[in-house]
Structure formats: C-alpha cells, structure tokens
Amino acid sequence: MLDVTRLRVLLTVAQKGSLTEAAKVLHYSQPSISHHLARLEAETGAKLIQRAGRGIRLTEAGRLLAERAADIIGRLDAASEELAAHVGLRSGRVRLTAFPSALGTFIPGAARLLAAEHPGLRLELTETEPPEALRLLRAGRADVAVIFRYDDTAPEDGGIHMVHLLDDPSYLVSPAPAGELADNADASWIAGCDRCRSHLLDMCEKAGFAPRITFTSDDIVAVQALVAGGLGLTLLPGLALSAHRHPEVEVTEVPGSVRHVYAAVYGEPPHPPATEALLAALLAALDESLRTAPPTGSVPAAEDAVGVGKSR
C-alpha cells in the first residue's frame, strides 16, 4: 500500500519543482525529502524523479502518480474538514464553486439562507466554469460545484452525484425584434471564448447557417452593450439576463435551447451534513426567487427565465 506521507512529498515536489522548496513547505530536511521519494520509488517499482541539469523533473510515471496523489490527498483533507464540521454544524466550512451567472442570481440567496440556519458554518465561494469546478470537486477542494450541461454534453465521470437545480433556456438578444434564429443568417454575431461559443455554433448550425462572429467577449455587460449599439446579435442564457439586462435590447427565447443546471457532489448520498445543508439552501433559494421575483416587463423574469427542477 502506498504511504500517504510519501505521496504528499511527491505532490509537493511536483508543485514546487524543487526538492529544496518542497522541504521548506513541508518543514522537512532535504535529505528527508530524498529519503521519502526513494522509498516511494521502492514501493512502486517505478522511477519517479530524474535529474535535469542542476534541478530535477518528474518522469512520466512520476507525473501520473502526482496527479493521482492530488486527488487522494484532496479527498483526505476534505474528509478531515467534514469530520470537523460533523458535530451539529456548529463550526467548520463548506466550499461552493459556481459559474458567474449562478453567482449573480440565486447563490447569494442560498448563502443568506445558509448563514441564517447555520451561523457557525463558514461558506467559501469560488467562481469557475464547469470543467474546472469538477476538477476542484474531484480533488477535494470543493464540496459542491454548481455546473451546467446541455443535452449533448458528455456525461461526467463516475463518482459524481448530480442534483438537478433548474433548466435555463437561451435567448436571442438583439437591438430590435429579430424573429427566429434562422432569420439572422447574414447578421454579425458576438460570441464568448472558444468553449463558451460552442453552443452558439451548434444552435446556428441546426438553424442552417454558420454565424459570422465579429466580436468576442465573456462579459455579459459588454456583450449586451455591443448588441444595444447595433454591432451584432448574441445568445445568452436566462440566468445571465436575470443577472443583468440592458434596457435597450430585445430578447426572444430560442426553442430547444436549454442548459441544465446541477449541483454536483462527490460520492453518493448520504453526504456530509455541511454539504446537505448547502444543497438544501440552494434549492430553497431557487424556490424563494420564484415566489418573490417582481414583474419586469419584457425582461425574462426568474419564473420565465428558468424552470426549477427536483433533487434526484
């Protein structure tokens, strides 16, 4: 069986790129670091470290084991946190990572509800897109990841439990009424980064054209300002429009274009009490936002922009 202390040494060496720096972080002597690595190589039967000039570098086997060590140690550290918070949720922390428009809409309400119900529980928030959020979850650096996926998104790896939060439709955003997506094949388009624009490309392809992209931005405020200025059209999800709506743009729901929003948790239920408390707060915040959202004219209100789902 692999020794966890030696795995932590290998991971620290991989992160710092130096035996000397790893020794400083771990408060070990450099000979002790070398000894742990030598013992780990003996345990695995693989060469993990090799000299490179005056420094060192990991072999392919070393890189592979360091990646696995990050997951293992992350899960162990998370378990320690969970046990510390297990005693009645009177103390401890719970870590949530989520994409921007979720943080700008229902998550602040969830944070407020969690603080009211469990005042000793500290919530830590991190903004990330879904791929990085899932990496943090697997590595034990997040307890809950709010992510989205489309119908054709590849399924997540094993070990991830998904709680359905809501369905979030997409809207065609234009400076004036623009009809259907297919009516705008000759228009200029504003898209996000390479990953974020994939849904726009897919929807336009289904409508029978390839969009002519003239501007790129992931900032929903800037994107809507460009649309309002007549510089192009774009697609935005309902949550983004609920977080910010430019007063001089028109929005039209795009049929068949829905992203599904989930709270992802590592492992099957029952989850640690702090994690369950956060999941309950997320669902309660969504329910509360649907009951209290004021009418907003032609702007998609929360009850129009999203549809709440049930936990599964």
Side-chain angles (χ1 to χ4, degrees):
M1 181 178 294
L2 296 177
D3 183 272
V4 173
T5 298
R6 291 167 190 153
L7 288 177
R8 194 180 292 275
V9 168
L10 177 66
L11 177 60
T12 307
V13 170
Q15 292 171 336
K16 297 301 179 181
S18 155
L19 300 184
T20 302
E21 292 303 315
K24 291 179 182 177
V25 170
L26 296 172
H27 304 290
Y28 290 168
S29 66
Q30 187 168 325
S32 180
I33 294 288
S34 299
H35 172 75
H36 280 302
L37 292 175
R39 292 296 301 159
L40 189 57
E41 288 183 332
E43 289 175 354
T44 60
K47 185 70 173 175
L48 304 175
I49 300 288
Q50 62 186 19
R51 293 288 175 184
R54 295 185 178 180
I56 57 97
R57 66 181 180 185
L58 271 65
T59 64
E60 188 64 30
R63 285 192 293 272
L64 175 62
L65 186 57
E67 290 174 2
R68 297 295 180 267
D71 291 342
I72 293 167
I73 291 168
R75 299 310 307 170
L76 287 173
D77 290 344
S80 296
E81 292 282 349
E82 290 163 5
L83 287 173
H86 201 282
V87 287
L89 295 178
R90 291 189 296 271
S91 62
R93 68 173 181 177
V94 63
R95 298 160 299 174
L96 173 65
T97 181
F99 56 93
S101 57
L103 285 171
T105 49
F106 63 90
I107 285 179
R112 176 180 53 79
L113 292 172
L114 187 67
E117 187 72 20
H118 305 287
L121 186 62
R122 186 174 80 257
L123 176 63
E124 296 182 0
L125 296 175
T126 304
E127 179 186 308
T128 55
E129 293 295 338
E132 177 61 19
L134 289 172
R135 283 193 287 270
L136 292 175
L137 190 67
R138 293 189 191 96
R141 295 166 58 193
D143 302 299
V144 178
V146 174
I147 65 170
F148 62 83
R149 65 190 315 278
Y150 295 97
D151 290 333
D152 57 355
T153 302
E156 283 68 34
D157 297 339
I160 302 295
H161 176 73
M162 306 282 277
V163 177
H164 182 217
L165 296 179
L166 57 96
D167 292 322
D168 190 14
S170 296
Y171 292 83
L172 173 61
V173 184
S174 56
E180 298 181 356
L181 203 59
D183 299 329
N184 297 280
D186 296 328
S188 297
W189 288 84
I190 303 163
C193 64
D194 289 342
R195 178 187 173 277
C196 297
R197 73 176 59 187
S198 61
H199 183 60
L200 169 64
L201 297 176
D202 289 343
M203 294 308 300
C204 290
E205 182 180 4
K206 290 176 182 177
F209 70 96
R212 178 167 54 88
I213 297 172
T214 54
F215 291 94
T216 298
S217 175
D218 287 325
D219 186 328
I220 62 171
V221 176
V223 166
Q224 292 183 58
L226 291 170
V227 172
L231 299 175
L233 312 181
T234 195
L235 289 186
L236 286 177
L239 280 178
L241 289 165
S242 293
H244 171 76
R245 167 68 186 271
H246 195 289
E248 297 176 12
V249 299
E250 298 287 334
V251 297
T252 306
E253 185 172 347
V254 179
S257 176
V258 175
R259 66 178 185 177
H260 310 289
V261 180
Y262 295 90
V265 186
Y266 192 87
E268 293 297 318
H271 303 298
T275 299
E276 291 289 357
L278 177 54
L279 291 174
L282 289 168
L283 290 167
L286 282 166
D287 181 62
E288 183 177 273
S289 70
L290 294 179
R291 288 186 282 103
T292 61
T296 51
S298 62
V299 180
E303 58 265 42
D304 301 319
V306 296
V308 174
K310 299 297 184 183
S311 174
R312 67 177 178 119

